[in-house]
Each structure stands twice: as C-alpha cells, then as structure tokens.
Amino acid sequence: MTATLRHKRKLQPWIAIGLILLMGLCITSSTFATFYTDFLWFKSLDYTGVFTTRLFTSLVLILIAMLTALLFLLLNWSLVPHWIAPKEYFTVKTTLNGRTRTAASAAPPTTYSTRPLRRAFTVAAILVAIVIGLTFGGLWRAYLLAANGVPFNLTDPIFRRDVSFYIFTLPWLEALLIRAKVLVALAFIGILARYAIFGQLKSRAATLHMSILGALWMVLIGLGWLLNRYGLLKSATGVVFGAGYTDINARMPLYVIQAVLFFAAAVVLVLNAFIRKWKLLLLIGVFWLAVSALGPGYPAAIQQFTVEPNEFMLEKPYIEHNIRYTRYAYGLDNIKEQSYPATGVLTMPDLEVNRDIVSNIRLWDYRPLLRTYGQLQEIRLYYSFNDIDVDRYTINGQPRQVMLAARELNVEELAEQAKTWINQHLIFTHGYGVALNYTNEVSRDGLPNLVVRDIPPVSAASELHIERPQIYFGELTNNYVVINAKEDEFDYPQGDNNMYTRYSGPDGVALGSFLRRALLATRFGSTQLLLSPALNRDSRILFHRTILERAQTIAPMLWFDEDPYPVIVETADGITGIVWLLDAYTWTDHFPYSEPIGGVNYIRNSVKVAIDAYTGKTTFYLIDPHDPVAATYARIFPDLFQPGEAMPQGLREHWRYPETLYLYQSRLYATYHMRDPQVFYNREDLWDIPQELVETEQQVMEPYYVIMRVPDSDRMEFLLIRPYVPKQKQNMIAWLYADCDGEDYGTLGIVKLPKDRLTYGPLQIEARIDQDPLISQQLSLWNQRGSRVLRGNLLVIPIKDTFLYVEPLYLEAESGQLPELKRIIVAYDDRVAMTPTLEESLLQVLNGGTASPSAPTPAPTGNLETLAAQAWEHYQAAQACLTAGDWACYGREQAALEEVLRAMVGETE
C-alpha cells in the first residue's frame, strides 16, 4: 500500500505538468481559441442551441464513423486473418547481390514474430479510422437535412419520388457511398499487404477473405450505378436540362445493366472462394468491359439516328417537365399576367391626377449620389458611406421614396499617427446616423435636398427623427471593439471638440478571467487584450460586427443577399434607432429538371434577418413557412427562427423584394414565359434584358424600385420593375414587377405589350436622346469644359396606359467628386425634352415642345438688385402656378426665372 502511495506521489507532479502543458496548448491554439470564443459569442446572443446542434451532430457523426471504420478495419486487418489464418512467425529468405543464395551457401531463412506487424496494422487502423471519421464532421448539414426533410408534395415525373428525396436524402446517400468505397478499398489494400508479407497470399483463407471484400466493393459500385439513375434528372446533355429521351431510353438501361453485372460479380466472387470458377468471373468481366466500351456509343447512336430526325416529338414530354419544374423552382408558376395596351394619351391633367406617381419619380442615381454624400456628409475623414439604398417612408400620410446611407466609422481612414490599438479598438467604436434625401427633390445647386443630415442627425421630417443614431454593427464594422473599458468612446465631433459616450447595449463577450482573456488574445492575435490596463473583468468585446458575417456565422446554411439596408424605426426597447434588414435565401442545386443558373436551380426568399445597429440583436424571421427547405431548417433549429408575423409592423413596412432573387427570376422568365413546348423548343418568343447608358458606359439595365399603381389597381405600391425586349431587338415587349407591400408582398406580375405596334425600348430612347441636335450640342459643350456628363438610370414609368421615360443628367468636374444634377431628360411618344427640372421637361413633351423654347424671349436687363427682384417675382409666380396645377404657366415662369439667373451670373462676371 505504501509503495502504491509513493508511486502515486511520483506521478502527481507529472500529471500536473501535463495538465499545464495541455492548458497552454489550448490557450495558444488559434483553432481552440476560435471554437471556444465562438461558443461564448453564440451564448451571448441566446443562440447556444444553434451552436450545440451543429457541434453535437458533427461530433456524433465523427464518433460513429470513426468507430465503424475502426471496427471494420480491425476486423479485416487483425481479427479475421488471425482467426482464419493464424500465424505467429513468418520467414524471410536472405539474398546476396540481389540474388537468392544457393542451398549450400545460404544461411537459414530469418524468422520474425508477427506480433509487431499486427500491432502496426492496429495502429494504422486507428489512424485511418480517425481520418475517415473527421471527414464526416463537415456532413452535419447533409445528415440533418436527410433526417428532418419536409416533403415538397411534388413528385418527379420519372421515378415518382418526392422532390425532397433529391434535395435532402440523395446527397447524404452519395456521401455515405463515397466514404464506404474508400473504406472497403483501404481494407482490401491493407489485407492484401498483410497476406503478402506473411506469405499467405495463395492460401484458401486469404482467397476467401479477399473475395468477400471484393464482393462488397462490387456491391457498392453496383449501388453507385443505381444512384446514378437519379442523377440523370440533372442531365445537361439533352435539348433541355434534365433527363431527355436518350437518357431515359439508353443511358438509364445501361446503368441498370452495369449495376446487375456488378451484383453478379459480387456473387461470383463469393462463390469463387468455394468452387473456384474463375471462368465465370472472367465472363462477367468481359461483359462489363463490353458494356463500358459500348456505353458511350449506344446513347450517341440513339441520339443521332432516333432522336435527331424527330427531336421535338420525342423530346416534347421532357421539355414539358423542364418548363414545369423550372417555373416551380424559381417561383415563376404563379406570375399574374396582364395586358398593357400602351395606347394611352397623356395630358397635363392626367399628371395632376397621378401626382403621387410623378412626385416619386427617382431623379437620383445611386452612383453619383454616393460620391455626393461622401463630399457633403462624411463630415470627418474617418466616416464612410458604403452604399446607397432605396426605400420608402410615410411622410405626412403620403408614401415618399427615399435614398439613404448609413454613416459608418472606418478605422482604416484614420490618420496614420492615430492608428493606435486604443484608438482602433477602444475609442473609435461606432458610426453615427444616416444621410437621407427624397428621390425627386433637388436643390438649386443641383445637389440632393437632404431630409436627414449632419451630426447629430437633423431631420426635416418628424417621422425620420433618430433618437439613437450610433452604429456599432454595419457593413464596414469589420474590426473588433472593446466596450466598458476605462476609456470613454468617441461619439461624434462637435465643432472643435468631441463628444464621448459609453455603450449601454447588451451585446458582447465579457473578458472575465485571465484564461478567457488569453483565449481572446490568441484568437485576435492581440497581446493588448491580455495585458492592457485599460481593460477589466467587466469589459466586453464585440466581434462578428459586419451584417453579413454576423448572419453567416449564425446560419451558414443560408445564402445571404449582398445588400443589407438600414431602416429608421422604433426598436424593441421603444427607442427610434437604426435596424438593418437582410434578405436570406434557401436554395439547392439538386432540384430535378430545373434549369440551373449561377450554381443554383431552386431558390426562395424565405427568411429575413433584422439586426439592431446599436444592440446587435439578430433575429431571423421565417416569412415563408411553406418553403420545404426553410421548414426543414426550422425543424433542425427550432430556436433560430421567429414567425414572420412576429416582426414589428414598423419593420414589415420596409420589406423590399430582393434584387438578387429578382435578377434570377427575371433572367429565367425571359425564356420560361414560353409554356407551349413547341414555342419553347423553337425559341420563337425569346426575350432579353435591355441595355442602357449609365454614366459613360453601356450596360445591362438594372431593376429599379418605383412607387406606382399596377394596371387594374388604384392602390399605390412600392414595386421592383424592369422591362423586357425581344431577343436581338430593342423595342419593349413587356415588363416584370415584384410587389413589396403588405399582403401582396412577393407577388410577381408580367405586363405584356402589344406585338403589333412599336413601344420604344430603353436603348432606343437613349439613341433618340443622342440624336436630338439641341441635347447633343449641349452635352458636347459640357464635356469640353473640364467636366464630364454622367447619365443616370433611365427609368421607364408606366402611367395611364402609356410610358414616360426619365433620365437624369449629372455634371461632374474632372478635378472633383461632387456630381450635380443639372438636367432632367423626359421622353414621351415621339418627343424628347431636356430642362433643369422634371416639371419643365414634362410640360414640354406633353405640350409638344422640344428640348428648348421654340421662340426666343427678350433677355432680362438691369443691375443685380433689379434682376434679383425679377427673379423673386418669377419664383413666386411659378409657385402660384404650381399650386393651381397650371403646368404651362409654371413652365413659362421657370424658363423666365432661368433667364434672369443667367443674366445675374453675367453681371457678376
């Protein structure tokens, strides 16, 4: 007993040293540090269940796969050989100069124990099992989908299996089959080497063992051929995507024959161990070689001699399958179809009736506006606007379309001497507020009329007042920050001074103990996190702060839109602040018969994510519970999703139909609006996306948001629209809209134009603009004066059974980055006008005017005081005309005002 105690005492220091070394290894291991701190981060967000579900599933899969592989390899490499062919020793003949010695001169063969080699095989089995087990760690998503898949209640047309089999089950079966093949192959290689080393390769026991392993390999290959049949439903070899006539009638039978041959070979291999009928196995091999050699030729012959002479009739049912399943997979099967005569005549009274549409026509293009925001509203060098977003707000009871951008803090823009660790991670922690303008308003200087501006934010509309403008989470917040430190945080500049604050939100991982700080320091490669005296136990670190990274870390199985957008809204704690909305998609590339685009052949916008810019609270809302993929994820992660109805109404009012989904759908619909298989096969009515001129380049027309009424509706709605043109033509043939509002959110509609008359397309309007001599002359003049003309998005506005075409023009000095909106071009019917305001251009095109007044007016004269008085009189008169709805009067007064202002500029020169 005393000896035992002494032995334990001797071991205790070594155990302590080992634990210290293990702890040190964990602390210095970036992988472990990332894993543990991510767990703390998930816990701080109350998403521990999401983290543990993935972790537990991965660990269970690894463990089961590892044990299965280990048992299989030990059974084949150690146990079975020891049972059926036991051998304690093996001999090796010695050689001299590479030749075996003669019996007279040779030394006796060397005898070795088999025990070391058996142990080596055991160790090898353990190592191989670990590697195979680890490959299952990344299959957590495939397994969980297979185990929890929700049926689509839609069957494929060939095998009559529910589509969920192809999306959820088949990928898991294929992954298992690949790893099973690898395992059996490694077992066979290992046992072959063992029997060869031990000199038992020709023994009956070895033959039996290897025959059984070979048979198992053949069975797996046969199963692979059977699974390959389902892959034909994603074949790209036919006239359309999916299995065609040749696939069904030639390739599929060959796959079955291949499977039968391999199953037969498996049976013969097992029988061969007892009856030694090598000729039968050889015969099967010959058949397999023949099928393999003839396999590619037979489908090719069927295609050339049977299908091609009568292709449409034979492929017709498969074309119908492709049309049906593609339309379903991309949500194109319930598009509302309408006709639009495009024969209406627009008058000035019509514009007055539709003032709510005209007043929301977007005059600002996001590209020059972003540069303008940068010059006017970044305020300090460390503030940046990432991009411009389009949204709508109800102001004074009326819907107003706006453009806005969040003012984020970019530590990379700090002065070099200010880029200290304390400044980057403790002081400069957040951005501040937004800049926002109405899309249809322009200042006298050609700049946006900012409704929300400056720091602190000043709002011209009470509905847009921001009580908590700090932005700790955004699109540019890609560094970690530490809050509740001894240092106060910079809040915003005020004159020559700075205002400071302290974060009061709930987000962040507490630094806590020395061990936790050490792990955080290892993760972020920062010794300051461990040693800085500015930090304490109650300090918290905020990381995963960018909107996309934050969402992707929580839900990597979803595909997230690249364009989150900020919303000014009352937050969960009753304070008006900024909340980011982010669209998320469920998707797959395994949908049968659906045409793939961009690596996807099924997509739904079933999830929207709300992220509070201050608190970091991240909420996933399931807005389409009928999507089987989303419903499956909701089964897997019951704590992740909230029902769409739980989203606050203030946020629901700012839902936008996502552009990414619209781009996929509109691109596919250009072809898949054709539902008649004959028309589809001949491509008789193929559409295309029109081109437009933007700034100085020609590009594919982008979809754009508008506030308008769809045909046969009296309700103003926020829509995403884009026109179509016939393939290789430029006239407009239709336009596709997506509804963003209320109960109709997500509704798609196609408005078709008559084919018996011309409706100008965007590029035709661009050509007419360029061909107008007055407009062309003015553009050339501007481009020669040290500046360049930038053309904004051409907007096609459907209104009263006809179209208005509106394109803003910006002037930007070559030496500056402050584009100014100088002219608005409006085209209607066969007329084009370019004036300083939308109202004037509308007046000219509707009254039959041209780009400039038809008759010259006398130039104003007088000194500056006289001219200023004249300008004021014309302005007041124009406003009175506008109030009275007299557009002709308004246009005359605006033109007169412009002439007076030109005369005033001449006086000052």
Side-chain angles (χ1 to χ4, degrees):
M1 186 68 177
T2 305
T4 303
L5 288 173
R6 282 200 302 268
H7 181 67
K8 287 183 177 181
R9 287 171 182 167
K10 288 181 180 180
L11 287 178
Q12 284 175 354
W14 293 104
I15 293 174
I17 292 172
L19 290 175
I20 292 172
L21 291 175
L22 180 61
M23 185 178 298
L25 180 63
C26 290
I27 291 173
T28 57
S29 169
S30 59
T31 301
F32 178 80
T34 300
F35 165 79
Y36 180 70
T37 52
D38 267 344
F39 169 74
L40 296 175
W41 182 78
F42 272 86
K43 185 178 179 181
S44 71
L45 294 175
D46 292 328
Y47 282 132
T48 308
V50 177
F51 184 88
T52 55
T53 296
R54 287 158 44 188
L55 175 63
F56 179 75
T57 304
S58 297
L59 291 177
V60 169
L61 288 176
I62 290 172
L63 184 60
I64 292 176
M66 195 180 298
L67 291 176
T68 302
L70 181 60
L71 290 175
F72 186 79
L73 292 175
L74 288 177
L75 184 68
N76 284 279
W77 287 356
S78 298
L79 299 179
V80 171
H82 190 66
W83 292 338
I84 66 175
K87 195 166 188 177
E88 297 296 331
Y89 300 95
F90 68 98
T91 59
V92 177
K93 295 180 180 180
T94 56
T95 60
L96 181 62
N97 295 330
R99 292 178 294 179
T100 304
R101 293 183 179 181
T102 64
S105 60
T110 305
T111 302
Y112 296 96
S113 172
T114 60
R115 182 171 299 175
L117 277 175
R118 292 204 306 269
R119 288 176 178 170
F121 274 104
T122 300
V123 172
I126 295 172
L127 294 176
V128 171
I130 291 173
V131 172
I132 291 177
L134 291 176
T135 66
F136 275 80
L139 296 179
W140 63 267
R141 179 176 178 268
Y143 168 74
L144 289 173
L145 287 175
N148 298 276
V150 173
F152 276 71
N153 296 320
L154 173 70
T155 58
D156 77 86
I158 305 302
F159 299 102
R160 301 299 175 184
R161 284 184 172 272
D162 192 272
V163 170
S164 60
F165 168 79
Y166 299 91
I167 295 177
F168 304 137
T169 308
L170 187 58
W172 172 245
L173 294 178
E174 290 173 340
L176 286 179
L177 184 62
I178 290 172
R179 285 157 179 79
K181 286 181 180 179
V182 170
L183 180 60
V184 174
L186 290 173
F188 186 87
I189 293 171
I191 198 59
L192 183 65
R194 175 180 173 128
Y195 285 131
I197 293 172
F198 290 176
Q200 298 175 306
L201 198 56
K202 296 182 180 180
S203 68
R204 190 174 189 85
T207 302
L208 174 62
H209 190 182
M210 289 189 291
S211 295
I212 292 175
L213 278 179
L216 182 57
W217 170 258
M218 295 295 178
V219 168
L220 293 176
I221 294 178
L223 291 174
W225 282 110
L226 291 180
L227 287 183
N228 288 344
R229 294 177 306 153
Y230 301 114
L232 288 175
L233 272 60
K234 297 190 298 174
S235 170
T237 59
V239 66
V240 292
F241 187 83
Y245 181 89
T246 301
D247 294 312
I248 299 300
N249 295 279
R251 290 189 177 89
M252 190 174 294
L254 282 175
Y255 288 180
V256 174
I257 292 172
Q258 295 260 36
V260 171
L261 285 175
F262 278 103
F263 291 149
V267 173
V268 172
L269 270 174
V270 174
L271 293 176
N272 177 67
F274 301 99
I275 60 176
R276 300 295 182 100
K277 294 293 184 180
W278 290 103
K279 291 182 179 180
L280 187 57
L281 186 62
L282 182 62
L283 181 62
I284 292 176
V286 171
F287 271 113
W288 175 75
L289 288 173
V291 171
S292 299
L294 296 176
Y298 177 62
I302 292 294
Q303 180 69 27
Q304 182 175 354
F305 298 110
T306 302
V307 176
E308 291 182 3
N310 193 25
E311 188 173 55
F312 172 70
M313 292 306 297
L314 294 178
E315 297 285 6
K316 180 181 176 180
Y318 309 108
I319 295 174
E320 291 174 341
H321 299 332
N322 175 262
I323 294 173
R324 177 191 173 196
Y325 286 86
T326 298
R327 288 172 63 91
Y328 176 89
Y330 290 95
L332 305 176
D333 52 337
N334 291 315
I335 290 183
K336 181 181 179 182
E337 295 189 5
Q338 297 169 276
S339 296
Y340 194 74
T343 56
V345 177
L346 201 59
T347 63
M348 295 305 296
D350 293 328
L351 288 187
E352 188 61 32
V353 172
N354 292 281
R355 176 175 288 276
D356 47 3
I357 296 177
V358 175
S359 63
N360 279 292
I361 292 176
R362 178 165 61 84
L363 304 181
W364 286 100
D365 184 280
Y366 67 89
R367 282 163 285 246
L369 184 60
L370 181 61
R371 298 197 290 274
T372 301
Y373 271 18
Q375 292 294 316
L376 300 179
Q377 283 293 302
E378 285 184 354
I379 311 295
R380 293 289 190 272
L381 56 87
Y382 39 77
Y383 287 125
S384 294
F385 295 104
N386 185 61
D387 68 352
I388 302 289
D389 292 297
V390 179
D391 201 354
R392 75 287 196 195
Y393 288 82
T394 300
I395 308 297
N396 295 326
Q398 296 297 320
R400 296 297 302 270
Q401 189 173 191
V402 304
M403 303 180 82
L404 74 162
R407 186 184 293 104
E408 299 192 55
L409 193 144
N410 186 354
V411 293
E412 296 299 323
E413 298 299 329
L414 288 170
E416 285 300 320
Q417 64 272 22
K419 288 183 179 180
T420 64
W421 182 83
I422 288 182
N423 276 344
Q424 290 180 303
H425 300 287
L426 272 64
I427 306 298
F428 292 92
T429 57
H430 57 274
Y432 208 87
V434 302
L436 181 148
N437 67 287
Y438 294 135
T439 58
N440 66 317
E441 292 189 3
V442 186
S443 73
R444 293 182 180 181
D445 298 324
L447 299 174
N449 186 11
L450 293 169
V451 185
V452 180
R453 58 185 172 83
D454 298 342
I455 301 176
V458 176
S459 174
S462 59
E463 295 89 343
L464 300 174
H465 176 65
I466 305 175
E467 297 175 282
R468 191 166 62 194
Q470 291 88 353
I471 300 174
Y472 283 84
F473 304 88
E475 294 180 272
L476 299 177
T477 50
N478 50 20
N479 66 320
Y480 71 87
V481 297
V482 183
I483 49 93
N484 289 351
K486 294 180 181 179
E487 302 281 349
D488 287 337
E489 303 168 47
F490 166 77
D491 199 22
Y492 61 89
Q494 191 171 56
D496 295 331
N497 300 314
N498 290 332
M499 303 301 293
Y500 291 87
T501 188
R502 297 186 76 82
Y503 180 74
S504 60
D507 195 73
V509 173
L511 297 188
S513 65
F514 176 84
L515 178 60
R516 183 181 288 189
R517 289 180 67 169
L519 288 169
L520 288 166
T522 299
R523 173 182 182 139
F524 295 105
S526 172
T527 56
Q528 290 89 340
L529 279 174
L530 184 63
L531 304 176
S532 174
L535 307 180
N536 55 61
R537 290 181 59 88
D538 296 326
S539 299
R540 285 177 283 148
I541 183 170
L542 311 183
F543 56 100
H544 293 319
R545 294 200 301 140
T546 60
I547 302 303
L548 286 176
E549 180 193 14
R550 196 171 184 84
Q552 286 170 346
T553 303
I554 296 171
M557 64 282 182
L558 299 177
W559 172 27
F560 294 94
D561 197 274
E562 295 292 328
D563 185 28
Y565 57 99
V567 177
I568 301 171
V569 68
E570 183 177 308
T571 60
D573 48 8
I575 299 174
T576 302
I578 300 168
V579 175
W580 295 90
L581 280 181
L582 173 65
D583 288 289
Y585 309 106
T586 55
W587 63 278
T588 184
D589 57 353
H590 296 293
F591 204 94
Y593 272 108
S594 175
E595 185 74 26
I597 177 173
V600 170
N601 70 352
Y602 172 91
I603 185 171
R604 291 287 188 274
N605 173 217
S606 299
V607 178
K608 288 187 181 290
V609 188
I611 301 177
D612 192 302
Y614 183 81
T615 66
K617 180 178 175 58
T618 304
T619 309
F620 291 75
Y621 294 98
L622 183 59
I623 65 170
D624 183 9
H626 302 296
D627 171 24
V629 180
T632 299
Y633 285 133
R635 275 188 182 180
I636 297 169
F637 304 106
D639 299 328
L640 177 59
F641 299 104
Q642 299 292 324
E645 296 77 13
M647 179 180 282
Q649 184 61 31
L651 281 178
R652 289 175 60 88
E653 292 173 356
H654 291 275
W655 284 6
R656 298 188 323 188
Y657 197 86
E659 283 191 48
T660 299
L661 177 60
Y662 182 91
L663 290 171
Y664 275 77
Q665 291 175 317
S666 59
R667 181 174 169 184
L668 263 297
Y669 196 73
T671 301
Y672 284 87
H673 70 276
M674 298 180 286
R675 284 177 285 182
D676 182 277
Q678 177 110 37
V679 175
F680 186 95
Y681 174 76
N682 292 324
R683 297 294 198 265
E684 296 177 19
D685 191 21
L686 199 62
W687 296 350
D688 202 357
I689 308 300
Q691 300 279 313
E692 65 172 340
L693 293 176
V694 176
E695 295 199 341
T696 59
E697 303 292 334
Q698 182 172 313
Q699 66 173 41
V700 174
M701 190 173 192
E702 298 174 346
Y704 49 93
Y705 293 101
V706 295
I707 294 180
M708 55 170 281
R709 282 179 285 272
V710 299
D712 303 328
S713 174
D714 295 328
R715 189 175 65 179
M716 290 286 288
E717 295 181 284
F718 190 57
L719 306 173
L720 181 62
I721 71 172
R722 184 165 65 174
Y724 285 111
V725 296
K727 187 70 172 179
Q728 298 180 345
K729 302 291 184 181
Q730 296 302 333
N731 59 290
M732 191 160 56
I733 193 67
W735 50 280
L736 179 71
Y737 70 84
D739 202 318
C740 303
D741 281 337
E743 297 298 323
D744 293 330
Y745 174 83
T747 300
L748 292 178
I750 186 70
V751 181
K752 297 183 178 180
L753 304 178
K755 297 182 180 180
D756 57 353
R757 64 187 303 270
L758 173 66
T759 303
Y760 289 118
L763 206 57
Q764 291 175 324
I765 295 295
E766 299 278 16
R768 291 185 56 206
I769 292 171
D770 289 336
Q771 292 164 4
D772 186 285
L774 296 177
I775 296 177
S776 177
Q777 181 180 10
Q778 183 66 66
L779 297 185
S780 299
L781 184 63
W782 276 333
N783 279 320
Q784 293 172 3
R785 291 185 173 182
S787 60
R788 61 174 186 150
V789 175
L790 306 176
R791 300 170 80 145
N793 285 119
L794 175 67
L795 303 183
V796 182
I797 310 296
I799 183 171
K800 203 197 174 208
D801 290 338
T802 186
F803 293 99
L804 282 174
Y805 304 85
V806 179
E807 181 175 273
L809 289 184
Y810 309 91
L811 200 61
E812 182 179 56
E814 291 181 355
S815 58
Q817 288 288 313
L818 186 62
E820 298 177 0
L821 198 160
K822 288 300 184 184
R823 293 293 185 270
I824 306 296
I825 299 175
V826 174
Y828 166 69
D829 198 15
D830 59 349
R831 299 185 288 275
V832 179
M834 182 181 76
T835 72
T837 68
L838 175 64
E839 289 78 9
E840 292 178 78
S841 294
L842 288 171
L843 177 67
Q844 290 197 17
V845 296
L846 295 185
N847 286 344
T850 59
S852 59
S854 55
T857 56
T861 57
N863 57 25
L864 281 176
E865 183 177 353
T866 302
L867 292 172
Q870 294 177 19
W872 177 245
E873 290 175 0
H874 285 302
Y875 173 74
Q876 287 186 311
Q879 293 302 112
C881 295
L882 189 61
T883 303
D886 189 343
W887 291 82
C889 169
Y890 177 82
R892 289 192 300 271
E893 294 297 334
Q894 284 289 316
L897 175 60
E898 181 179 2
E899 292 301 319
V900 173
L901 293 175
R902 290 182 185 277
M904 292 177 69
V905 171
E907 283 292 318
T908 59
E909 293 176 349

